[in-house]
Amino acid sequence: MKSVVICGKERWGLTAEEMHKQGFDVWCCGTETRDGADLYVELHGIKVNRDNVLYELPDEVYCQGLPVNNTISALLIFAFLKGYTNIAILGAPMTGSDEYIEQRSGVAWVCGWLQAKGIIIDWKDKPVNVNYGRKNWKN
């Protein structure tokens, strides 16, 4: 099973090394400062001082007919297109602003679509009372 952790910008306890030991590739969003990730993705035009930064995702991500309204939804689709079948999301509770409240439904749609395709989604610190995926994360 090909596995990836998508790390939002809110710091979460595990290091990239610990996630790698559990069999996950590690992708970090934006200016996340965690060292050792396989990929850093910055879609907001902020320059990141790292070697392995992706500033644009392939057009195919945006042509799936899915609501891509934030970095998490875009990376979920990108992971699917890259063949990942087990996706964990950490450090992205989406509770800090009205912007996140508006984005939740799009992310929920993408999670549901991926789960219907057989992809395992585990949102470790998802918003309270929201079920975007089933539990598969090992602590």
Side-chain angles (χ1 to χ4, degrees), residues 31-46:
T31 55
E32 158 63 56
T33 59
R34 187 182 318 264
D35 289 326
D38 301 292
L39 182 65
Y40 295 87
V41 180
E42 175 47 60
L43 302 177
H44 299 93
I46 300 169

Side-chain angles (χ1 to χ4, degrees), residues 41-101:
V41 180
E42 175 47 60
L43 302 177
H44 299 93
I46 300 169
K47 295 299 177 196
V48 179
N49 189 21
R50 297 202 180 267
D51 292 331
N52 50 344
V53 179
L54 185 63
Y55 291 101
E56 289 184 32
L57 294 175
D59 289 340
E60 187 179 11
V61 169
Y62 305 99
C63 297
Q64 300 298 312
L66 297 167
V68 181
N69 62 357
N70 68 6
T71 301
I72 298 296
S73 60
L75 288 180
L76 286 165
I77 297 164
F78 186 54
F80 169 72
L81 294 171
K82 289 287 202 178
Y84 289 94
T85 56
N86 183 32
I87 304 170
I89 304 167
L90 305 175
M94 295 184 70
T95 57
S97 70
D98 290 344
E99 176 186 18
Y100 291 135
I101 292 169

